[in-house]
Amino acid sequence: MVRELDANRLRVLMEVAHAKSIAEAARKLAFTPSALSQQIAKLETELGARLLERHPHGVTPTPVGAVLVDHAERVIGELRQARAALDATLGTQPQRLALGSFPTAAQLLVPTALAALQSRHPRAELSLVAMEPPDGYGLVTSGDLDVLITHRYPGVAPTPHPGLDRQSLLDDPLRLVVPAGHRLTQGAAPHGINLTRLENETWISGAPGIPNRTCLETLARRADIEPHVVYESADYHVIMALVGAGLGIALVPASILAGADRSHVSVHHLQGPAPAREISIVHGRRPTGLVRELAAFLHTAASTAGQNGPP
């Protein structure tokens, strides 16, 4: 039995799990892939368990490995916070902030918030990485990201985030998008279209397990219908193009519609309480000054977006 776990090997495992690739993790850590593989092999030998599943296109943690990665994120995160606290005490703390965001929020909320933060702190090193929900929570826990902007659709289970704070930024209503001239546009009620009218429609949505597909299936169950999904895509630009070509109907967030070409589609509300994806900000429970300022700027940007109103 292992009495103590080596923090350096834990970090290697964590970085490999985050990168989903030994080669990519080696590049980030400035080691050779063989050196990282040896560290993982030693950890597996010490534990008497396999930690990674090797695939043709990368690696994923085994159930045992996933447990260890979860703890590694917290351990490495605490060590990084200890270093930051020491640097702050000594007056040598560099001003850095890494933000992860999904593309829509990166376009809608991030530019003005980051520009405002950079204006107040010209020497701060700010960075942005693309992060599709529900990914990113572990990166905040480990300290690789300082702030995460994420979302959750109706029907999608919340992601556990022990040790992190999550604050709602904006509710992004979902709209029904149909081809221009579709029968549903004939005499559509001002208060929206009932989902029960969509029983026999062809739907365009993400693949099973993708958040927008889970949302569609949840709403359909409530309306006691079975959605007939023929075309699958997680890219809303593709979805809008398919709808515009007359191939089906879709649920699309209002924020996507704000900048989309709507010349070949018709947009409608759904009857009843408007379903919406919740856009949120996630950070550690001991945020730095830069994180607190960015959060305030993001809330301001979200408030402005909300006042402009969804289409």
Side-chain angles (χ1 to χ4, degrees):
M1 178 179 293
V2 177
R3 295 184 180 276
E4 293 184 4
L5 291 168
D6 186 285
N8 289 322
R9 288 179 188 161
L10 286 179
R11 185 191 175 198
V12 166
L13 176 65
M14 180 191 76
E15 297 290 358
V16 169
H18 287 172
K20 300 182 175 68
S21 162
I22 290 177
E24 179 59 26
R27 185 194 65 78
K28 179 179 178 181
L29 295 173
F31 284 99
T32 64
S34 62
L36 261 62
S37 293
Q38 290 174 15
Q39 291 297 310
I40 296 293
K42 289 178 182 178
L43 190 55
E44 289 178 326
T45 299
E46 290 173 354
L47 295 172
R50 194 156 44 91
L51 301 176
L52 296 174
E53 295 279 6
R54 271 76 171 179
H55 307 289
H57 301 293
V59 296
T60 56
T62 64
V64 173
V67 170
L68 197 55
V69 168
D70 182 62
H71 285 279
E73 288 168 345
R74 282 178 266 172
V75 169
I76 301 305
E78 287 293 333
L79 288 174
R80 286 171 172 166
Q81 287 188 23
R83 177 77 254 184
L86 180 60
D87 287 341
T89 302
L90 296 173
T92 59
Q93 183 178 28
Q95 287 192 304
R96 296 192 185 98
L97 186 144
L99 169 65
S101 175
F102 64 99
T104 307
Q107 181 178 2
L108 181 67
L109 305 175
V110 168
T112 55
L114 277 185
L117 188 65
Q118 191 77 77
S119 177
R120 284 180 57 86
H121 303 278
R123 299 180 128 187
E125 298 177 15
L126 310 181
S127 61
L128 171 67
V129 294
M131 193 66 53
E132 282 292 345
D135 292 344
Y137 288 88
L139 293 171
V140 180
T141 299
S142 67
D144 288 287
L145 289 178
D146 298 292
V147 181
L148 173 70
I149 304 176
T150 188
H151 63 58
R152 183 162 73 91
Y153 282 79
V156 175
T159 301
H161 50 281
L164 302 178
D165 278 344
R166 176 176 178 145
Q167 307 163 24
S168 177
L169 279 177
L170 183 68
D171 282 339
D172 193 5
L174 301 176
R175 302 296 188 223
L176 177 66
V177 183
V178 304
H182 191 281
R183 67 172 186 83
L184 289 169
T185 65
Q186 308 301 319
H191 52 282
I193 295 175
N194 196 302
L195 267 173
T196 56
R197 294 183 59 192
L198 311 177
E199 174 76 54
N200 299 314
E201 295 296 327
T202 296
W203 283 92
I204 305 166
S205 185
I210 298 295
N212 64 358
R213 178 68 168 270
T214 301
C215 172
L216 172 60
E217 292 170 345
T218 299
L219 297 175
R221 279 195 301 271
R222 294 174 186 171
D224 198 26
I225 66 171
E226 183 71 30
H228 182 49
V229 178
V230 175
Y231 303 102
E232 295 181 350
S233 176
D235 187 326
Y236 280 116
H237 297 291
V238 174
I239 289 174
M240 288 292 291
L242 293 173
V243 175
L247 294 171
I249 67 175
L251 289 178
V252 178
S255 61
I256 299 290
L257 296 170
D261 178 9
R262 296 165 59 171
S263 57
H264 300 292
V265 303
S266 180
V267 179
H268 302 270
H269 293 237
L270 291 175
Q271 284 185 7
R277 64 176 182 178
E278 181 190 22
I279 298 177
S280 303
I281 180 174
V282 177
H283 56 68
R285 290 184 179 165
R286 298 192 295 272
T288 64
L290 279 181
V291 169
R292 288 193 296 270
E293 287 189 57
L294 178 63
F297 289 134
L298 286 170
H299 279 287
T300 299
S303 177
T304 300
Q307 289 170 7
N308 289 338

PDB file of all heavy atoms in Angstrom, residues 65-94:
ATOM      1  N   GLY A  65      -8.409   5.975 -12.106  1.00  0.00           N
ATOM      2  CA  GLY A  65      -7.695   7.179 -12.499  1.00  0.00           C
ATOM      3  C   GLY A  65      -8.520   8.436 -12.330  1.00  0.00           C
ATOM      4  O   GLY A  65      -8.004   9.478 -11.911  1.00  0.00           O
ATOM      5  N   ALA A  66      -9.834   8.356 -12.628  1.00  0.00           N
ATOM      6  CA  ALA A  66     -10.706   9.526 -12.492  1.00  0.00           C
ATOM      7  C   ALA A  66     -10.790   9.988 -11.044  1.00  0.00           C
ATOM      8  O   ALA A  66     -10.803  11.187 -10.756  1.00  0.00           O
ATOM      9  CB  ALA A  66     -12.101   9.203 -13.030  1.00  0.00           C
ATOM     10  N   VAL A  67     -10.838   9.022 -10.109  1.00  0.00           N
ATOM     11  CA  VAL A  67     -10.855   9.373  -8.685  1.00  0.00           C
ATOM     12  C   VAL A  67      -9.572  10.098  -8.308  1.00  0.00           C
ATOM     13  O   VAL A  67      -9.590  11.123  -7.610  1.00  0.00           O
ATOM     14  CB  VAL A  67     -11.035   8.106  -7.818  1.00  0.00           C
ATOM     15  CG1 VAL A  67     -10.808   8.430  -6.333  1.00  0.00           C
ATOM     16  CG2 VAL A  67     -12.428   7.522  -8.019  1.00  0.00           C
ATOM     17  N   LEU A  68      -8.441   9.581  -8.785  1.00  0.00           N
ATOM     18  CA  LEU A  68      -7.156  10.188  -8.446  1.00  0.00           C
ATOM     19  C   LEU A  68      -6.996  11.561  -9.104  1.00  0.00           C
ATOM     20  O   LEU A  68      -6.447  12.484  -8.492  1.00  0.00           O
ATOM     21  CB  LEU A  68      -6.019   9.250  -8.867  1.00  0.00           C
ATOM     22  CG  LEU A  68      -4.649   9.524  -8.226  1.00  0.00           C
ATOM     23  CD1 LEU A  68      -4.746   9.532  -6.715  1.00  0.00           C
ATOM     24  CD2 LEU A  68      -3.643   8.484  -8.690  1.00  0.00           C
ATOM     25  N   VAL A  69      -7.496  11.714 -10.333  1.00  0.00           N
ATOM     26  CA  VAL A  69      -7.435  13.011 -11.006  1.00  0.00           C
ATOM     27  C   VAL A  69      -8.233  14.042 -10.232  1.00  0.00           C
ATOM     28  O   VAL A  69      -7.804  15.195 -10.053  1.00  0.00           O
ATOM     29  CB  VAL A  69      -7.953  12.904 -12.455  1.00  0.00           C
ATOM     30  CG1 VAL A  69      -8.158  14.292 -13.065  1.00  0.00           C
ATOM     31  CG2 VAL A  69      -6.969  12.110 -13.315  1.00  0.00           C
ATOM     32  N   ASP A  70      -9.410  13.650  -9.752  1.00  0.00           N
ATOM     33  CA  ASP A  70     -10.250  14.563  -8.981  1.00  0.00           C
ATOM     34  C   ASP A  70      -9.510  15.081  -7.746  1.00  0.00           C
ATOM     35  O   ASP A  70      -9.532  16.278  -7.444  1.00  0.00           O
ATOM     36  CB  ASP A  70     -11.541  13.850  -8.575  1.00  0.00           C
ATOM     37  CG  ASP A  70     -12.483  14.755  -7.812  1.00  0.00           C
ATOM     38  OD1 ASP A  70     -12.932  15.764  -8.373  1.00  0.00           O
ATOM     39  OD2 ASP A  70     -12.774  14.457  -6.627  1.00  0.00           O
ATOM     40  N   HIS A  71      -8.828  14.182  -7.052  1.00  0.00           N
ATOM     41  CA  HIS A  71      -8.058  14.600  -5.868  1.00  0.00           C
ATOM     42  C   HIS A  71      -6.815  15.381  -6.278  1.00  0.00           C
ATOM     43  O   HIS A  71      -6.433  16.348  -5.590  1.00  0.00           O
ATOM     44  CB  HIS A  71      -7.670  13.379  -5.033  1.00  0.00           C
ATOM     45  CG  HIS A  71      -8.806  12.802  -4.245  1.00  0.00           C
ATOM     46  ND1 HIS A  71      -9.219  13.323  -3.038  1.00  0.00           N
ATOM     47  CD2 HIS A  71      -9.641  11.772  -4.509  1.00  0.00           C
ATOM     48  CE1 HIS A  71     -10.243  12.630  -2.584  1.00  0.00           C
ATOM     49  NE2 HIS A  71     -10.523  11.688  -3.458  1.00  0.00           N
ATOM     50  N   ALA A  72      -6.195  14.986  -7.390  1.00  0.00           N
ATOM     51  CA  ALA A  72      -4.996  15.691  -7.852  1.00  0.00           C
ATOM     52  C   ALA A  72      -5.312  17.150  -8.168  1.00  0.00           C
ATOM     53  O   ALA A  72      -4.521  18.051  -7.861  1.00  0.00           O
ATOM     54  CB  ALA A  72      -4.428  14.997  -9.088  1.00  0.00           C
ATOM     55  N   GLU A  73      -6.460  17.401  -8.771  1.00  0.00           N
ATOM     56  CA  GLU A  73      -6.846  18.778  -9.085  1.00  0.00           C
ATOM     57  C   GLU A  73      -6.916  19.617  -7.820  1.00  0.00           C
ATOM     58  O   GLU A  73      -6.461  20.767  -7.791  1.00  0.00           O
ATOM     59  CB  GLU A  73      -8.198  18.781  -9.806  1.00  0.00           C
ATOM     60  CG  GLU A  73      -8.110  18.255 -11.228  1.00  0.00           C
ATOM     61  CD  GLU A  73      -9.465  17.985 -11.844  1.00  0.00           C
ATOM     62  OE1 GLU A  73     -10.468  17.927 -11.090  1.00  0.00           O
ATOM     63  OE2 GLU A  73      -9.541  17.814 -13.071  1.00  0.00           O
ATOM     64  N   ARG A  74      -7.474  19.044  -6.761  1.00  0.00           N
ATOM     65  CA  ARG A  74      -7.586  19.802  -5.512  1.00  0.00           C
ATOM     66  C   ARG A  74      -6.226  19.994  -4.845  1.00  0.00           C
ATOM     67  O   ARG A  74      -5.921  21.070  -4.326  1.00  0.00           O
ATOM     68  CB  ARG A  74      -8.563  19.091  -4.563  1.00  0.00           C
ATOM     69  CG  ARG A  74     -10.019  19.338  -4.932  1.00  0.00           C
ATOM     70  CD  ARG A  74     -10.962  18.605  -4.022  1.00  0.00           C
ATOM     71  NE  ARG A  74     -11.327  17.308  -4.587  1.00  0.00           N
ATOM     72  CZ  ARG A  74     -12.016  16.393  -3.945  1.00  0.00           C
ATOM     73  NH1 ARG A  74     -12.385  16.597  -2.695  1.00  0.00           N
ATOM     74  NH2 ARG A  74     -12.334  15.251  -4.511  1.00  0.00           N
ATOM     75  N   VAL A  75      -5.406  18.947  -4.870  1.00  0.00           N
ATOM     76  CA  VAL A  75      -4.077  19.045  -4.252  1.00  0.00           C
ATOM     77  C   VAL A  75      -3.229  20.077  -4.982  1.00  0.00           C
ATOM     78  O   VAL A  75      -2.631  20.972  -4.357  1.00  0.00           O
ATOM     79  CB  VAL A  75      -3.373  17.672  -4.272  1.00  0.00           C
ATOM     80  CG1 VAL A  75      -1.900  17.820  -3.892  1.00  0.00           C
ATOM     81  CG2 VAL A  75      -4.067  16.705  -3.320  1.00  0.00           C
ATOM     82  N   ILE A  76      -3.169  19.984  -6.308  1.00  0.00           N
ATOM     83  CA  ILE A  76      -2.352  20.918  -7.087  1.00  0.00           C
ATOM     84  C   ILE A  76      -2.914  22.323  -6.967  1.00  0.00           C
ATOM     85  O   ILE A  76      -2.161  23.308  -6.884  1.00  0.00           O
ATOM     86  CB  ILE A  76      -2.277  20.475  -8.558  1.00  0.00           C
ATOM     87  CG1 ILE A  76      -1.665  19.069  -8.672  1.00  0.00           C
ATOM     88  CG2 ILE A  76      -1.453  21.476  -9.367  1.00  0.00           C
ATOM     89  CD1 ILE A  76      -0.303  18.921  -8.023  1.00  0.00           C
ATOM     90  N   GLY A  77      -4.229  22.440  -6.946  1.00  0.00           N
ATOM     91  CA  GLY A  77      -4.845  23.752  -6.774  1.00  0.00           C
ATOM     92  C   GLY A  77      -4.471  24.396  -5.457  1.00  0.00           C
ATOM     93  O   GLY A  77      -4.170  25.600  -5.403  1.00  0.00           O
ATOM     94  N   GLU A  78      -4.469  23.624  -4.378  1.00  0.00           N
ATOM     95  CA  GLU A  78      -4.084  24.158  -3.062  1.00  0.00           C
ATOM     96  C   GLU A  78      -2.618  24.570  -3.046  1.00  0.00           C
ATOM     97  O   GLU A  78      -2.258  25.602  -2.467  1.00  0.00           O
ATOM     98  CB  GLU A  78      -4.355  23.119  -1.972  1.00  0.00           C
ATOM     99  CG  GLU A  78      -5.814  22.919  -1.635  1.00  0.00           C
ATOM    100  CD  GLU A  78      -6.421  24.144  -0.973  1.00  0.00           C
ATOM    101  OE1 GLU A  78      -5.681  24.911  -0.332  1.00  0.00           O
ATOM    102  OE2 GLU A  78      -7.644  24.340  -1.101  1.00  0.00           O
ATOM    103  N   LEU A  79      -1.748  23.768  -3.680  1.00  0.00           N
ATOM    104  CA  LEU A  79      -0.333  24.123  -3.732  1.00  0.00           C
ATOM    105  C   LEU A  79      -0.116  25.418  -4.513  1.00  0.00           C
ATOM    106  O   LEU A  79       0.681  26.270  -4.122  1.00  0.00           O
ATOM    107  CB  LEU A  79       0.464  22.985  -4.375  1.00  0.00           C
ATOM    108  CG  LEU A  79       0.635  21.714  -3.538  1.00  0.00           C
ATOM    109  CD1 LEU A  79       1.304  20.621  -4.361  1.00  0.00           C
ATOM    110  CD2 LEU A  79       1.452  22.003  -2.285  1.00  0.00           C
ATOM    111  N   ARG A  80      -0.856  25.575  -5.605  1.00  0.00           N
ATOM    112  CA  ARG A  80      -0.729  26.804  -6.392  1.00  0.00           C
ATOM    113  C   ARG A  80      -1.269  28.008  -5.620  1.00  0.00           C
ATOM    114  O   ARG A  80      -0.716  29.110  -5.707  1.00  0.00           O
ATOM    115  CB  ARG A  80      -1.461  26.637  -7.724  1.00  0.00           C
ATOM    116  CG  ARG A  80      -0.705  25.727  -8.699  1.00  0.00           C
ATOM    117  CD  ARG A  80      -1.525  25.392  -9.919  1.00  0.00           C
ATOM    118  NE  ARG A  80      -0.723  24.682 -10.915  1.00  0.00           N
ATOM    119  CZ  ARG A  80      -1.230  24.036 -11.962  1.00  0.00           C
ATOM    120  NH1 ARG A  80      -2.550  24.020 -12.151  1.00  0.00           N
ATOM    121  NH2 ARG A  80      -0.429  23.418 -12.820  1.00  0.00           N
ATOM    122  N   GLN A  81      -2.345  27.816  -4.874  1.00  0.00           N
ATOM    123  CA  GLN A  81      -2.874  28.909  -4.060  1.00  0.00           C
ATOM    124  C   GLN A  81      -1.897  29.278  -2.955  1.00  0.00           C
ATOM    125  O   GLN A  81      -1.747  30.455  -2.603  1.00  0.00           O
ATOM    126  CB  GLN A  81      -4.225  28.520  -3.475  1.00  0.00           C
ATOM    127  CG  GLN A  81      -5.340  28.519  -4.507  1.00  0.00           C
ATOM    128  CD  GLN A  81      -6.709  28.310  -3.878  1.00  0.00           C
ATOM    129  OE1 GLN A  81      -6.916  28.565  -2.699  1.00  0.00           O
ATOM    130  NE2 GLN A  81      -7.652  27.836  -4.676  1.00  0.00           N
ATOM    131  N   ALA A  82      -1.229  28.268  -2.386  1.00  0.00           N
ATOM    132  CA  ALA A  82      -0.226  28.546  -1.354  1.00  0.00           C
ATOM    133  C   ALA A  82       0.927  29.371  -1.925  1.00  0.00           C
ATOM    134  O   ALA A  82       1.409  30.325  -1.297  1.00  0.00           O
ATOM    135  CB  ALA A  82       0.302  27.227  -0.780  1.00  0.00           C
ATOM    136  N   ARG A  83       1.346  29.027  -3.143  1.00  0.00           N
ATOM    137  CA  ARG A  83       2.412  29.786  -3.799  1.00  0.00           C
ATOM    138  C   ARG A  83       1.971  31.217  -4.062  1.00  0.00           C
ATOM    139  O   ARG A  83       2.726  32.171  -3.836  1.00  0.00           O
ATOM    140  CB  ARG A  83       2.759  29.094  -5.117  1.00  0.00           C
ATOM    141  CG  ARG A  83       3.804  29.789  -5.962  1.00  0.00           C
ATOM    142  CD  ARG A  83       5.199  29.574  -5.429  1.00  0.00           C
ATOM    143  NE  ARG A  83       5.725  30.755  -4.788  1.00  0.00           N
ATOM    144  CZ  ARG A  83       6.945  30.859  -4.300  1.00  0.00           C
ATOM    145  NH1 ARG A  83       7.771  29.824  -4.361  1.00  0.00           N
ATOM    146  NH2 ARG A  83       7.356  31.955  -3.734  1.00  0.00           N
ATOM    147  N   ALA A  84       0.725  31.374  -4.533  1.00  0.00           N
ATOM    148  CA  ALA A  84       0.206  32.713  -4.821  1.00  0.00           C
ATOM    149  C   ALA A  84       0.100  33.546  -3.552  1.00  0.00           C
ATOM    150  O   ALA A  84       0.417  34.740  -3.540  1.00  0.00           O
ATOM    151  CB  ALA A  84      -1.152  32.610  -5.507  1.00  0.00           C
ATOM    152  N   ALA A  85      -0.354  32.912  -2.455  1.00  0.00           N
ATOM    153  CA  ALA A  85      -0.475  33.637  -1.187  1.00  0.00           C
ATOM    154  C   ALA A  85       0.892  34.073  -0.671  1.00  0.00           C
ATOM    155  O   ALA A  85       1.049  35.188  -0.156  1.00  0.00           O
ATOM    156  CB  ALA A  85      -1.178  32.755  -0.155  1.00  0.00           C
ATOM    157  N   LEU A  86       1.885  33.197  -0.839  1.00  0.00           N
ATOM    158  CA  LEU A  86       3.246  33.546  -0.416  1.00  0.00           C
ATOM    159  C   LEU A  86       3.795  34.689  -1.259  1.00  0.00           C
ATOM    160  O   LEU A  86       4.383  35.644  -0.728  1.00  0.00           O
ATOM    161  CB  LEU A  86       4.149  32.316  -0.534  1.00  0.00           C
ATOM    162  CG  LEU A  86       5.619  32.507  -0.138  1.00  0.00           C
ATOM    163  CD1 LEU A  86       5.726  32.945   1.321  1.00  0.00           C
ATOM    164  CD2 LEU A  86       6.409  31.237  -0.379  1.00  0.00           C
ATOM    165  N   ASP A  87       3.581  34.624  -2.572  1.00  0.00           N
ATOM    166  CA  ASP A  87       4.062  35.690  -3.455  1.00  0.00           C
ATOM    167  C   ASP A  87       3.396  37.019  -3.109  1.00  0.00           C
ATOM    168  O   ASP A  87       4.041  38.073  -3.140  1.00  0.00           O
ATOM    169  CB  ASP A  87       3.772  35.334  -4.920  1.00  0.00           C
ATOM    170  CG  ASP A  87       4.680  34.228  -5.434  1.00  0.00           C
ATOM    171  OD1 ASP A  87       5.735  33.990  -4.812  1.00  0.00           O
ATOM    172  OD2 ASP A  87       4.338  33.597  -6.447  1.00  0.00           O
ATOM    173  N   ALA A  88       2.094  36.958  -2.778  1.00  0.00           N
ATOM    174  CA  ALA A  88       1.379  38.188  -2.414  1.00  0.00           C
ATOM    175  C   ALA A  88       1.952  38.777  -1.138  1.00  0.00           C
ATOM    176  O   ALA A  88       2.110  39.993  -0.998  1.00  0.00           O
ATOM    177  CB  ALA A  88      -0.109  37.901  -2.264  1.00  0.00           C
ATOM    178  N   THR A  89       2.265  37.909  -0.170  1.00  0.00           N
ATOM    179  CA  THR A  89       2.832  38.373   1.097  1.00  0.00           C
ATOM    180  C   THR A  89       4.198  39.013   0.883  1.00  0.00           C
ATOM    181  O   THR A  89       4.544  40.027   1.509  1.00  0.00           O
ATOM    182  CB  THR A  89       2.948  37.201   2.086  1.00  0.00           C
ATOM    183  OG1 THR A  89       1.662  36.629   2.293  1.00  0.00           O
ATOM    184  CG2 THR A  89       3.520  37.672   3.425  1.00  0.00           C
ATOM    185  N   LEU A  90       4.984  38.421  -0.021  1.00  0.00           N
ATOM    186  CA  LEU A  90       6.325  38.932  -0.295  1.00  0.00           C
ATOM    187  C   LEU A  90       6.312  40.090  -1.283  1.00  0.00           C
ATOM    188  O   LEU A  90       7.356  40.696  -1.549  1.00  0.00           O
ATOM    189  CB  LEU A  90       7.206  37.804  -0.852  1.00  0.00           C
ATOM    190  CG  LEU A  90       7.470  36.628   0.104  1.00  0.00           C
ATOM    191  CD1 LEU A  90       8.207  35.513  -0.622  1.00  0.00           C
ATOM    192  CD2 LEU A  90       8.269  37.099   1.315  1.00  0.00           C
ATOM    193  N   GLY A  91       5.125  40.382  -1.835  1.00  0.00           N
ATOM    194  CA  GLY A  91       5.020  41.467  -2.804  1.00  0.00           C
ATOM    195  C   GLY A  91       5.590  41.126  -4.156  1.00  0.00           C
ATOM    196  O   GLY A  91       5.949  42.013  -4.931  1.00  0.00           O
ATOM    197  N   THR A  92       5.662  39.831  -4.473  1.00  0.00           N
ATOM    198  CA  THR A  92       6.233  39.413  -5.766  1.00  0.00           C
ATOM    199  C   THR A  92       5.211  38.703  -6.646  1.00  0.00           C
ATOM    200  O   THR A  92       5.579  38.037  -7.605  1.00  0.00           O
ATOM    201  CB  THR A  92       7.424  38.468  -5.538  1.00  0.00           C
ATOM    202  OG1 THR A  92       6.970  37.308  -4.794  1.00  0.00           O
ATOM    203  CG2 THR A  92       8.528  39.162  -4.778  1.00  0.00           C
ATOM    204  N   GLN A  93       3.922  38.826  -6.300  1.00  0.00           N
ATOM    205  CA  GLN A  93       2.900  38.091  -7.045  1.00  0.00           C
ATOM    206  C   GLN A  93       2.705  38.688  -8.447  1.00  0.00           C
ATOM    207  O   GLN A  93       2.357  39.854  -8.587  1.00  0.00           O
ATOM    208  CB  GLN A  93       1.566  38.124  -6.302  1.00  0.00           C
ATOM    209  CG  GLN A  93       0.464  37.311  -6.972  1.00  0.00           C
ATOM    210  CD  GLN A  93      -0.815  37.347  -6.175  1.00  0.00           C
ATOM    211  OE1 GLN A  93      -1.086  38.302  -5.457  1.00  0.00           O
ATOM    212  NE2 GLN A  93      -1.613  36.305  -6.296  1.00  0.00           N
ATOM    213  N   PRO A  94       2.928  37.905  -9.502  1.00  0.00           N
ATOM    214  CA  PRO A  94       2.673  38.413 -10.856  1.00  0.00           C
ATOM    215  C   PRO A  94       1.175  38.509 -11.100  1.00  0.00           C
ATOM    216  O   PRO A  94       0.390  37.742 -10.547  1.00  0.00           O
ATOM    217  CB  PRO A  94       3.310  37.350 -11.755  1.00  0.00           C
ATOM    218  CG  PRO A  94       3.243  36.090 -10.942  1.00  0.00           C
ATOM    219  CD  PRO A  94       3.407  36.520  -9.495  1.00  0.00           C
TER     220      PRO A  94
END
